[in-house]
Amino acid sequence: MSAAVMTAEAAPEFRAAGTDLSERRRSGVSRGPLIDLAAAGDNAISWDAKGAASIGALATIATIAANTRMMEAYPGIAASAQGLATPQVRHLATLGGNLAQRSRCWYFRKADIDCLKKGGSACPARSGNHLYGVAFDLGPCVAPHPSTMAAALLAYDASVVTDSRGGLTIADLLGDGSQARSDHTLAAGEMIKSVALPAPLAGERASYKRAISRTYAEWPLVEVCARIVIADGKFQFVRLAAGGIAPMPLRLIACETALQGKATNAATIAEAAGQATSGAKPLPMTAYKLDLLEGLLRDLLERLMA
């Protein structure tokens, strides 16, 4: 859950469950000293008088996925947690760790290949095999951010509290894609403490859907978390966030605008889904992600509208 960035120097890193860190240490990408967090920190989900939740950074993904009140108040977050990785990983992995995990790019994960995130001078994926890279090319590094929970929290306008700062939006935490040498904007040694959520809206519906390449446990090629409120046969509130397509999760603003105040019918959804690629800059091998994004969005909205 720290901002320790592994370069050629062996920087210290925090370890909570270590589901990501253990893999990086086995491969030799991470070699620095460890600071264990398992016995410290907040792992609870608490609620205020307005029904808003605060989730401790050490809460496991399984705890979030199985919490009945979370399912009722924040179904998009609960569904995202339920769809993440495998039951074994969800049982150990923490919310803070999921937000601060490192890139899944295979060039980054191979210890003997230099890349921007390891202190190198270029992104080898850009000129190499970037089949699983970004479809919205927004910065020097073309690896999509791997955090499913970040996309869900973006859809819910969540704010992140660290041991030195509060009120960070997901955009504040993960940046705009230009900080190619890190996966987030945390300072060295800065630790995520909790995530605060606004109170749910009356009549809100939400869900999550992902597209993967082969197996159940793979990281998504594209994922979408959607929240809507329908009243008088129209979309009165819309929040759409997508992961797997950019260096950070993205709000699909053009789609939201196309739905806002419009009739809840198939034609409206089709028109809005067609806006999913607005602003896209796919790489030579990633244009397929735009088709996946449009299809996921259409399926998810039709499911929520039913």
Side-chain angles (χ1 to χ4, degrees), residues 28-228:
V29 173
S30 291
R31 301 178 301 276
L34 300 178
I35 303 170
D36 281 312
L37 303 176
D42 184 1
N43 64 359
I45 301 175
S46 58
W47 303 84
D48 68 13
K50 296 181 180 179
S54 176
I55 310 173
L58 289 181
T60 67
I61 302 302
T63 296
I64 297 168
N67 186 282
T68 301
R69 193 167 178 183
M70 285 294 298
M71 294 180 198
E72 294 173 351
Y74 306 105
I77 293 175
S80 298
Q82 290 162 8
L84 191 157
T86 65
Q88 294 88 344
V89 170
R90 291 194 294 270
H91 181 72
L92 294 172
T94 64
L95 176 59
N98 186 269
L99 292 175
Q101 66 182 294
R102 301 305 311 276
S103 171
R104 292 287 163 178
C105 175
W106 45 41
Y107 292 101
F108 171 77
R109 293 279 162 167
K110 192 166 178 58
D112 58 354
I113 295 180
D114 283 337
C115 77
L116 292 168
K117 283 185 166 58
K118 290 185 289 187
S121 60
C123 173
R126 181 175 289 278
S127 58
N129 189 331
H130 51 255
L131 181 63
Y132 299 145
V134 300
F136 288 71
D137 187 4
L138 303 177
C141 174
V142 300
H145 198 277
S147 176
T148 288
M149 298 311 297
L153 294 171
L154 177 64
Y156 277 87
D157 300 315
S159 60
V160 177
V161 178
T162 75
D163 55 357
S164 59
R165 294 182 291 169
L168 298 175
T169 65
I170 295 300
D172 293 334
L173 178 68
L174 300 183
D176 60 3
S178 63
Q179 75 286 359
R181 299 192 181 278
S182 180
D183 296 293
H184 44 63
T185 65
L186 295 169
E190 186 177 8
M191 186 192 310
I192 298 172
K193 302 294 287 185
S194 63
V195 173
L197 294 163
L201 302 175
E204 179 179 332
R205 310 176 190 184
S207 193
Y208 164 84
K209 192 170 184 178
R210 60 168 48 192
I212 57 178
S213 59
R214 291 195 312 267
T215 61
Y216 173 74
E218 286 192 352
W219 276 263
L221 300 170
V222 180
E223 57 189 340
V224 177
C225 183
R227 301 170 60 207
I228 63 171

Side-chain angles (χ1 to χ4, degrees), residues 225-298:
C225 183
R227 301 170 60 207
I228 63 171
V229 174
I230 294 174
D232 300 322
K234 296 181 179 180
F235 290 99
Q236 299 293 348
F237 174 88
V238 185
R239 284 289 185 278
L240 304 170
I245 58 172
M248 65 291 187
L250 291 180
R251 280 270 303 278
L252 303 178
I253 301 295
C255 296
E256 293 176 359
T257 301
L259 290 168
Q260 186 68 43
K262 303 293 179 58
T264 53
N265 56 43
T268 298
I269 289 177
E271 180 180 352
Q275 297 296 315
T277 61
S278 178
K281 298 177 182 178
L283 304 170
M285 300 173 70
T286 62
Y288 74 94
K289 286 195 171 189
L290 301 180
D291 293 332
L292 289 177
L293 176 60
E294 183 173 344
L296 279 179
L297 185 61
R298 186 192 300 258

